[in-house]
Amino acid sequence: MLADRPRTAELGIRIGLLPSGPIGSIVDVPGVGVGHATVWRDEDDPPAGRGIARTGVTVIDPGGNCFREPVPAGGAVLNGAGECTGFLTAAEWGLVETPIFLTSTMQLGRVFDAACELLIEEEPAIGAEDVIIPVVAECDDSFLNDARRMQVDRVDVAAALAAARASARSRAVPDEGAVGAGTGMSCLGFKGGIGTASRVVPSGHTVGVLVLTNFGERERLTVDGMPVGRLLPPLPPGDPTAPPAGSCIVVVLTDAPIDPAGCARLARRAGLGLARTGSTAHHASGEIFLALATGLRAPRGTSPSGAPVQGHDLDACFAAVVEATEESVLNSLLRAQTVVGRCGNTSSGLPVDEVAALLRAHGR
């Protein structure tokens, strides 16, 4: 269901000053993988069928065994109208003990349960020596997806997790746009979903970002500083669009030696990247950010060796987060095709040719 649509770099758009990683995605960070399971159904309403499904699951796997070797982490909340399980534990301990699972709002519990079951099967110590709280974050895809039906189940979570593990080995650019958790999401008046990008900082470390975009108004869409949303032709009268409040999850991963306090500072910078694309963090939109750093990873119950990057030395990583977040949002828009969902609701893909023409006309 993925259309052959360009990414930001393929259009010649250069966001910021730092170089991208080799494939321009979060999987540029060593060991990291991304996997999706897309749930797309067109069935009758129950009891004859399961209704219209435009949803799914996306998994970001930091690599290795997160229970035996937790990952230093920190988070930030720009607007809290959303949910991310495990966020409080990450803030308290400065560690993440599971992969990151993304899905739609009403499916969060199902994904949490399935994540527990799957990780227990992989690691006998879970539940025997200590419990886990999987990190599961959500956005509301109910404009396109029938959220009154429980559309996601364990097999979808298992498929996304397996795909993430395979992705870490293949080193390919993950699918973007209307895929996995992004299947039913809309962003800045157009079809949104999954987007990813990366930056390499002068120290040689990589900062990768993956976003689940479901926020914003069409008129505020900004591409490389251009007010594209105001320059594109207006929608026909009466053409419905998704409401501007729907949330955005940003996951940052780096191989730099950054401690939990530094991770929280990194996570906070994601909001600057969203603002550069047109986000104003609406009242009912949940902007939740999580940053993980594998450079100081240590076995469970032990302290890391080595000194963390601190102070002014974090500045390049801050800039990398801002740039990669902005580019990730644009990739989520550029890569997403038009999707028709429940009740005929339609989220239109960004008109790539028109956007490219506008950028060229204004010297971009």
Side-chain angles (χ1 to χ4, degrees):
M1 286 177 288
L2 287 176
D4 184 17
R5 294 168 62 92
R7 305 185 79 220
T8 305
E10 293 164 350
L11 281 182
I13 301 171
R14 179 174 171 81
I15 301 299
L17 304 176
L18 293 167
S20 174
I23 61 174
S25 87
I26 196 170
V27 301
D28 282 323
V29 180
V32 174
V34 174
H36 307 290
T38 299
V39 181
W40 187 294
R41 282 192 286 265
D42 293 279
E43 297 182 5
D44 294 332
D45 288 339
R50 292 168 290 182
I52 304 298
R54 301 287 186 268
T55 191
V57 181
T58 293
V59 175
I60 306 104
D61 186 7
N65 186 317
C66 292
F67 181 79
R68 292 189 177 275
E69 196 175 22
V71 185
V77 177
L78 180 61
N79 196 62
E83 184 57 76
C84 177
T85 63
F87 190 91
L88 287 177
T89 304
E92 181 68 25
W93 291 348
L95 296 170
V96 161
E97 301 178 311
T98 74
I100 312 300
F101 298 81
L102 307 178
T103 191
S104 60
T105 304
M106 300 286 279
Q107 310 302 311
L108 184 141
R110 282 197 160 199
V111 174
F112 184 97
D113 288 348
C116 285
E117 293 173 356
L118 292 165
L119 296 173
I120 285 170
E121 291 172 3
E122 291 183 351
E123 175 51 66
I126 295 175
E129 298 177 9
D130 206 348
V131 298
I132 55 167
I133 301 177
V135 179
V136 187
E138 52 77 27
C139 291
D140 176 14
D141 59 12
S142 60
F143 178 70
L144 296 175
N145 179 57
D146 185 353
R148 290 174 60 84
R149 322 294 172 195
M150 296 298 102
Q151 304 285 12
V152 172
D153 56 30
R154 176 189 159 118
V155 68
D156 303 308
V157 181
L161 181 59
R165 303 271 168 76
S167 165
R169 296 188 294 270
S170 70
R171 314 302 300 160
V173 179
D175 289 335
E176 296 170 293
V179 65
T183 304
M185 306 300 175
S186 299
C187 181
L188 292 159
F190 296 96
K191 185 69 189 72
I194 297 293
T196 183
S198 68
R199 291 292 185 272
V200 178
V201 297
S203 66
H205 295 105
T206 301
V207 176
V209 169
L210 184 140
V211 297
L212 177 60
T213 63
N214 195 47
F215 66 89
E217 303 162 285
R218 176 187 171 105
E219 293 77 13
R220 294 189 181 275
L221 169 61
T222 304
V223 179
D224 192 21
M226 286 289 302
V228 167
R230 285 181 279 160
L231 296 173
L232 287 171
L235 289 172
D239 192 9
T241 59
S247 303
C248 185
I249 305 298
V250 181
V251 178
V252 179
L253 255 159
T254 181
D255 59 345
I258 298 177
D259 62 15
C263 286
R265 299 185 72 197
L266 250 64
R268 203 169 295 123
R269 269 62 183 180
L272 298 175
L274 295 187
R276 286 164 60 155
T277 67
S279 170
T280 59
H282 279 263
H283 163 72
S285 184
E287 279 69 36
I288 300 173
F289 316 138
L290 194 63
L292 293 75
T294 60
L296 292 178
R297 201 169 177 180
R300 187 179 190 86
T302 68
S303 299
S305 60
V309 178
Q310 293 180 322
H312 289 295
D313 291 338
L314 283 168
D315 283 344
C317 291
F318 292 160
V321 171
V322 176
E323 292 181 11
T325 300
E326 179 181 4
E327 186 170 323
S328 294
V329 172
L330 298 180
N331 281 334
S332 79
L333 288 160
L334 289 166
R335 292 285 288 151
Q337 79 277 29
T338 297
V339 172
V340 180
R342 69 174 185 90
C343 302
N345 289 347
T346 301
S347 191
S348 299
L350 186 71
V352 174
D353 291 342
E354 293 179 49
V355 171
L358 284 171
L359 293 171
R360 285 194 299 268
H362 290 82
R364 290 296 199 276

